[in-house]
Amino acid sequence: MSMLLQFTRTLSFLCILGGFLACDTNPAKNTGPENENKNLDAVNGTPVLDGSASDEAWENAAWYPIPYSWKENAPDSNDFKGRFKVLWDDNMLYVLAEITDDTLTDIHPDGLIQYDDDDCLVLYLDEDASGGDHAYNYNAFAYHIALDGKVADMAPDSSNQFFDEHCISRRTTSGKISVWEVGVKVYDGKTYTDGGENIPKMLQQGKKLKFAAAYYDNDRSSEKEHVMGSFPATSEPKDNAWQNADNFGIMELK
Ligand SMILES: [Ca+2]
Ligand SMILES: [Ca+2]
Ligand SMILES: [Ca+2]
Ligand SMILES: [Ca+2]
């Protein structure tokens, strides 16, 4: 075999191998590894909000993990494991969350009292990606979505309020695994007023928002046992996303 032929064959082999490796590291498919970055892409598509991930649109979106403990004790993977995807269309964002939780707990019947001590999925949304304080303003929203679909957050007057009209949520649970499919309307926090005529924003390709996801896990205790989030808590208090948007991931609408 000539040196040139051998070199060409070796090069071809390396190219094919490179192709396989490139496929393996592609995070944009269901079969790919999960993306470890807190920043994320939302893919254009519209799912049916029925608590089932069977929509074709979800196949084009990458999974992002919820691996970081925002409390002193981290759960094992039997106790909690979570990941999510995000889609968007002109009207809203869509979040698919797959949550493994050994016990579903809702011990506070009033959805405005200790809503963060019952199991809940939390979606944090900062429409203009400004970051910063959002404890008593609408610079960002922290939607605490309860097992019954009620959506709670703190209002500027520091009262707890329902924001049910902001999020359409459907959940299906099989054994320890719950699938949450949530449509999230996007409001301009700079103009949003309590009780006002607030119109959700239309979304466009290329828009950047700040976004994060978390799960408050209680398993029959009087208070939450674990708080798990999509970005690492780098300072104290670790569970700070409810009042500060600085560490949310940047989400681009692709
Ligand atoms: Ca669906
Ligand atoms: Ca649990
Ligand atoms: Ca903002
Ligand atoms: Ca639980």
Side-chain angles (χ1 to χ4, degrees):
M1 191 187 302
S2 76
M3 286 288 284
L4 181 62
L5 183 60
Q6 194 168 12
F7 174 72
T8 307
R9 285 186 173 174
T10 306
L11 196 62
S12 302
F13 172 74
L14 287 175
C15 285
I16 291 166
L17 183 65
F20 276 123
L21 290 176
C23 281
D24 274 347
T25 54
N26 179 2
K29 298 290 176 195
N30 277 338
T31 49
E34 292 178 358
N35 197 327
E36 295 297 326
N37 195 331
K38 71 174 184 178
N39 298 326
L40 59 149
D41 293 337
V43 180
N44 187 255
T46 307
V48 176
L49 296 173
D50 57 359
S52 159
S54 61
D55 313 70
E56 213 175 300
W58 288 122
E59 291 177 17
N60 299 319
W63 284 112
Y64 295 92
I66 307 177
Y68 301 107
S69 177
W70 293 350
K71 216 168 181 288
E72 53 283 353
N73 58 331
D76 64 31
S77 61
N78 253 339
D79 197 334
F80 170 82
K81 196 168 75 162
R83 58 181 186 168
F84 68 97
K85 298 177 169 192
V86 187
L87 293 170
W88 69 277
D89 65 16
D90 291 355
N91 297 312
M92 62 178 104
L93 300 171
Y94 302 95
V95 179
L96 178 74
E98 184 189 87
I99 303 292
T100 301
D101 182 4
D102 49 347
T103 310
L104 293 184
T105 299
D106 183 359
I107 51 175
H108 301 92
D110 184 333
L112 293 180
I113 293 175
Q114 283 183 263
Y115 55 76
D116 59 341
D117 283 318
D118 288 331
D119 282 327
C120 60
L121 176 69
V122 193
L123 303 179
Y124 304 89
L125 185 60
D126 174 4
E127 181 273 329
D128 62 354
S130 63
D133 173 81
H134 70 91
Y136 306 113
N137 58 62
Y138 293 125
N139 180 25
F141 291 91
Y143 297 126
H144 299 72
I145 307 173
L147 294 172
D148 63 4
K150 289 282 195 184
V151 182
D153 190 17
M154 200 183 284
D157 64 1
S158 80
S159 68
N160 296 335
Q161 289 191 22
F162 285 125
F163 293 84
D164 295 348
E165 72 280 10
H166 290 221
C167 301
I168 303 161
S169 126
R170 306 258 158 69
R171 175 177 58 89
T172 56
T173 297
S174 175
K176 294 194 301 186
I177 298 177
S178 291
V179 174
W180 305 65
E181 206 172 20
V182 188
V184 185
K185 296 173 194 168
V186 178
Y187 290 93
D188 179 349
K190 296 184 290 300
T191 58
Y192 190 92
T193 54
D194 286 322
E197 281 199 31
N198 303 293
I199 311 291
K201 292 197 83 162
M202 269 191 78
L203 302 178
Q204 287 184 327
Q205 190 170 27
K207 181 176 176 61
K208 288 181 180 174
L209 310 89
K210 277 195 156 200
F211 182 85
Y215 188 82
Y216 282 42
D217 181 22
N218 190 347
D219 298 320
R220 300 201 189 96
S221 296
S222 57
E223 295 179 346
K224 59 183 165 284
E225 297 175 14
H226 313 289
V227 181
M228 297 296 289
S230 60
F231 63 82
T234 51
S235 57
E236 296 293 337
K238 286 182 179 169
D239 183 7
N240 199 37
W242 69 272
Q243 60 180 346
N244 191 290
D246 283 347
N247 289 326
F248 298 1
I250 296 285
M251 179 169 72
E252 182 169 354
L253 308 187
K254 294 285 186 174

